[in-house]
C-alpha cells in the first residue's frame, strides 16, 4: 500500500537522497519547504514540494520513481500540494508536456513577461540549458 502525506523534517534527508537518485538537479530541500512524499512502506516512490523563494510560493521537484510511473502517484502528490497551496498564488516551471497534468490542480500557462524577475531568470536559464520548460501559475 502506498501512502501520500507531508514529510516530517526528520525525513528531509531521505527525501533529498530520493531527489539525488532521480537525477533531480534543482535546489536542495530547506527546512521551510513543504515536502509531500508517497511511500511504499519505508521506500519513497514519489515526491513534490513547495518552496518559499523571494516572497513567492513555488511548486518544485515533482518526481516519481520510474518503477511507479503511470500509476497516479504524481496526481496524488499534486493533490496534497494543492491542499497546502490553498489560496496563495503559486508558480511552477514544468516541462512543456506536463501542461495538462498541472492544469488539473488549477495551474495555467503564462508568458515570461508575467513572471516575477526571479522566475523569469530561472526560466531563461532553463531554456538556455535546452530544457523544454514553460511557466505556470495558480
Amino acid at each position: 500500500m502506498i501512502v501520500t502525506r507531508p514529510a516530517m523534517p526528520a525525513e528531509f534527508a531521505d527525501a533529498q537522497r530520493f531527489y539525488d537518485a532521480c537525477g533531480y538537479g534543482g535546489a536542495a530541500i530547506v527546512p521551510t519547504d513543504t515536502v509531500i512524499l508517497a511511500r511504499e512502506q519505508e521506500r519513497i516512490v514519489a515526491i513534490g514540494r513547495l518552496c518559499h523563494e523571494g516572497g513567492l510560493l513555488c511548486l518544485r521537484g515533482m518526481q516519481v520513481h520510474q518503477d511507479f510511473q503511470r500509476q497516479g502517484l504524481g496526481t496524488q502528490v499534486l493533490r496534497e500540494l494543492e491542499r497546502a497551496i490553498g489560496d496563495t498564488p503559486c508558480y511552477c516551471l514544468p516541462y512543456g508536456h506536463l501542461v495538462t497534468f498541472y492544469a488539473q490542480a488549477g495551474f495555467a500557462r503564462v508568458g515570461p513577461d508575467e513572471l516575477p524577475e526571479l522566475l523569469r531568470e530561472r526560466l531563461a536559464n532553463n531554456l538556455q540549458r535546452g530544457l523544454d520548460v514553460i511557466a505556470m501559475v495558480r
Side-chain angles (χ1 to χ4, degrees), residues 69-131:
Q69 292 177 354
R70 305 261 181 232
Q71 297 178 30
L73 295 178
T75 298
Q76 288 178 24
V77 170
L78 185 60
R79 294 277 182 249
E80 288 292 323
L81 290 165
E82 187 178 8
R83 282 191 267 287
I85 293 167
D87 294 332
T88 304
C90 184
Y91 296 87
C92 66
L93 302 176
Y95 290 108
H97 70 277
L98 295 173
V99 170
T100 304
F101 174 75
Y102 288 99
Q104 71 181 333
F107 284 88
R109 190 171 182 168
V110 295
D113 56 324
E114 299 174 73
L115 292 173
E117 183 64 26
L118 170 77
L119 295 176
R120 192 169 36 246
E121 290 175 7
R122 183 176 298 156
L123 177 65
N125 183 38
N126 287 339
L127 292 171
Q128 187 175 27
R129 291 177 28 221
L131 299 176

Side-chain angles (χ1 to χ4, degrees), residues 3-136:
V3 176
T4 304
R5 62 171 177 74
M8 303 299 293
E11 296 174 293
F12 284 9
D14 287 341
Q16 188 64 55
R17 281 190 286 279
F18 179 78
Y19 273 142
D20 295 342
C22 289
Y24 175 68
I29 297 170
V30 297
T32 56
D33 290 349
T34 298
V35 179
I36 303 296
L37 300 176
R39 284 187 176 267
E40 181 184 57
Q41 297 174 4
E42 294 302 312
R43 180 181 181 193
I44 297 172
V45 296
I47 189 171
R49 67 187 167 136
L50 298 173
C51 304
H52 296 275
E53 305 174 64
L56 305 170
L57 183 63
C58 300
L59 189 156
R60 299 187 67 179
M62 289 287 297
Q63 299 285 311
V64 177
H65 187 282
Q66 65 183 22
D67 295 343
F68 291 85
Q69 292 177 354
R70 305 261 181 232
Q71 297 178 30
L73 295 178
T75 298
Q76 288 178 24
V77 170
L78 185 60
R79 294 277 182 249
E80 288 292 323
L81 290 165
E82 187 178 8
R83 282 191 267 287
I85 293 167
D87 294 332
T88 304
C90 184
Y91 296 87
C92 66
L93 302 176
Y95 290 108
H97 70 277
L98 295 173
V99 170
T100 304
F101 174 75
Y102 288 99
Q104 71 181 333
F107 284 88
R109 190 171 182 168
V110 295
D113 56 324
E114 299 174 73
L115 292 173
E117 183 64 26
L118 170 77
L119 295 176
R120 192 169 36 246
E121 290 175 7
R122 183 176 298 156
L123 177 65
N125 183 38
N126 287 339
L127 292 171
Q128 187 175 27
R129 291 177 28 221
L131 299 176
D132 177 27
V133 295
I134 60 162
M136 299 185 82

